[in-house]
Amino acid sequence: MRSREAYVRALPKAELHLHIEGTLEPELAFRLAQKHGVALPYADVAELRAAYDFTDLQSFLDVYYALADVLQDADDFYELALSYLQRAHEQGVVHVEIFFDPQTHTARGVAFGTVVEGLHRALIEAERRFGMTHRLIACFLRHLSAADAMLTLDEVLAHREIIAAVGLDSSEVGHPPSKFAAVFEIAREQGLFTVAHAGEEGPPAYIHEALDVLAVRRIDHGVRCEEDAELMRRLAREQIALTVCPLSNVKLGVFERIEQHNLKRLLEAGLRVTVNSDDPAYFGGYLLENYLAVERALGLTSEQLAILARNSIEGSFLDAAAKRRWLAAIDECARAELAY
Ligand code: HPA
Ligand code: ZN
């Protein structure tokens, strides 16, 4: 039998929950800080890595927003994204749906267009080099006002041809999805797909709201759905994809240990669970490491790993023909694994 790692790497996979700012590795952060003369509140890479000892979502976000200061010109965003895309390609990722946080950058005087230009250039380059397809998702920071999100939506709409969807991230508790009802309504009317972080630290009621008030197509994280049996049945019935991020959940204390993660239970309850890396530079692993972490800790079968890969394609914003092609390729890969 070949290794589980070789099998998981070979499975064609989509990554649906990835914050591009969360792929900023310490080495690149220090290099860009030097390039732009930005002072980081850490002496060196080792001291920075030592600060990655998070207790909850907010303790992570504080470091994540501080480090984003080094991203200043379009080349920075290009380099950031291309490094991630190269790595994802080496791990068998065939399609990416990438989040970015426009307000983190526009608040510092970096133009929306600068961010999008760099990211888009990298995505096109990855398509040319690796045949990797993509969708770009602009996330609103939920700790800021709905009025601020509305202004950001205007900029999203001005770049409508390269942005496929809008999402909602940052500090969850106290900032329910309903705060952004009007923004999401306009986004949907304008033909954008919608997603939202819900049920990471926030209660199951936020997942209900994201579905009922924001009419999102999938839920980012969503792991706290398990506290609401009716919601579990609904997610299974409607096959709403959950973009689960196992290593992130452990790093931010959503689950104390990976062995306690509920991914396998959600999967076995028939929910459309996917595996994702969230902010891999901060949480100790990219997509492959997330798959392998749950495979080892929870004892997933080869078929369950294939289901996770299928769910990532089914839950993506790819068109039906592309989905069919990747699903057939996953079936082929799973068959070959069983024949070993
Ligand atoms: N949750 C909320 N906001 C975020 C996250 C997350 O996991 N990662 C980056 N911004
Ligand atoms: Zn996230």
Side-chain angles (χ1 to χ4, degrees):
M1 214 176 97
R2 67 177 164 176
S3 75
R4 298 295 262 184
E5 177 175 336
Y7 171 55
V8 174
R9 197 186 290 276
L11 280 169
K13 300 171 290 300
E15 176 141 63
L16 306 180
H17 186 155
L18 182 284
H19 302 264
I20 201 64
E21 295 88 350
T23 68
L24 180 59
E25 292 286 347
E27 292 76 10
L28 180 58
F30 273 95
R31 188 150 54 73
L32 294 181
Q34 194 157 37
K35 171 180 166 186
H36 297 297
V38 173
L40 287 177
Y42 308 94
D44 52 29
V45 167
E47 194 180 310
L48 178 55
R49 279 199 198 279
Y52 291 3
D53 185 20
F54 311 118
T55 50
D56 56 11
L57 176 58
Q58 193 60 51
S59 65
F60 154 69
L61 291 172
D62 293 343
V63 179
Y64 165 86
Y65 293 134
L67 235 60
D69 268 1
V70 304
L71 299 164
Q72 306 234 343
D73 62 32
D75 286 345
D76 300 344
F77 287 94
Y78 171 80
E79 185 174 358
L80 177 73
L82 197 61
S83 307
Y84 159 71
L85 294 165
Q86 168 84 43
R87 217 151 163 168
H89 168 66
E90 288 162 7
Q91 297 194 339
V93 176
V94 297
H95 175 73
V96 292
E97 303 199 347
I98 289 184
F99 297 135
F100 71 109
D101 289 335
Q103 291 151 299
T104 299
H105 311 301
T106 53
R108 303 180 288 117
V110 177
F112 190 102
T114 300
V115 180
V116 168
E117 182 205 322
L119 296 180
H120 189 242
R121 191 149 37 95
L123 290 165
I124 296 297
E125 183 66 17
E127 194 163 11
R128 191 184 67 77
R129 280 195 212 173
F130 317 130
M132 186 187 280
T133 49
H134 61 263
R135 300 286 185 270
L136 196 52
I137 306 175
C139 281
F140 304 115
L141 299 181
R142 67 203 305 157
H143 68 274
L144 300 179
S145 69
D148 204 313
M150 201 64 98
L151 292 174
T152 304
L153 178 60
D154 286 340
E155 305 219 56
V156 171
L157 294 173
H159 297 83
R160 182 68 196 84
E161 69 289 354
I162 49 178
I163 297 176
V166 292
L168 192 60
D169 66 2
S170 191
S171 323
E172 186 181 4
V173 175
H175 302 286
S178 52
K179 177 176 165 184
F180 298 94
V183 183
F184 273 64
E185 189 177 348
I186 297 175
R188 288 195 315 276
E189 278 168 10
Q190 294 294 319
L192 290 161
F193 291 125
T194 59
V195 299
H197 284 53
E200 177 187 19
E201 283 191 346
Y206 283 19
I207 302 176
H208 279 294
E209 266 191 25
L211 294 170
D212 295 335
V213 182
L214 303 187
V216 298
R217 299 281 292 264
R218 57 182 190 239
I219 297 287
D220 296 312
H221 292 296
V223 289
R224 286 195 58 194
C225 68
E226 209 178 19
E227 297 165 29
D228 179 337
E230 177 47 39
L231 176 60
M232 287 272 282
R233 284 191 289 276
R234 176 184 185 181
L235 293 170
R237 191 171 60 240
E238 298 180 13
Q239 285 294 284
I240 306 287
L242 299 188
T243 63
V244 176
C245 307
L247 292 176
S248 164
N249 289 158
V250 175
K251 268 286 195 184
L252 302 188
V254 176
F255 296 94
E256 203 174 312
R257 296 186 313 123
I258 191 80
E259 289 77 13
Q260 294 163 344
H261 201 287
N262 64 4
L263 176 137
K264 189 176 180 179
R265 290 198 297 276
L266 300 182
L267 196 60
E268 291 180 347
L271 276 68
R272 185 173 276 173
V273 176
T274 67
V275 170
N276 306 271
S277 67
D278 208 5
D279 302 280
Y282 294 90
F283 298 150
Y286 284 74
L287 189 62
L288 181 68
E289 290 79 22
N290 272 274
Y291 269 81
L292 293 175
V294 285
E295 187 267 328
R296 287 193 196 112
L298 309 177
L300 301 183
T301 65
S302 300
E303 179 53 19
Q304 284 175 321
L305 291 166
I307 290 171
L308 290 169
R310 281 188 201 108
N311 288 349
S312 75
I313 297 297
E314 297 270 23
S316 76
F317 296 134
L318 282 167
D319 64 37
K323 285 186 183 181
R324 270 197 304 277
R325 275 197 304 278
W326 286 124
L327 292 172
I330 291 168
D331 288 348
E332 184 53 40
C333 188
R335 253 199 309 277
E337 174 70 4
L338 288 177
Y340 262 89

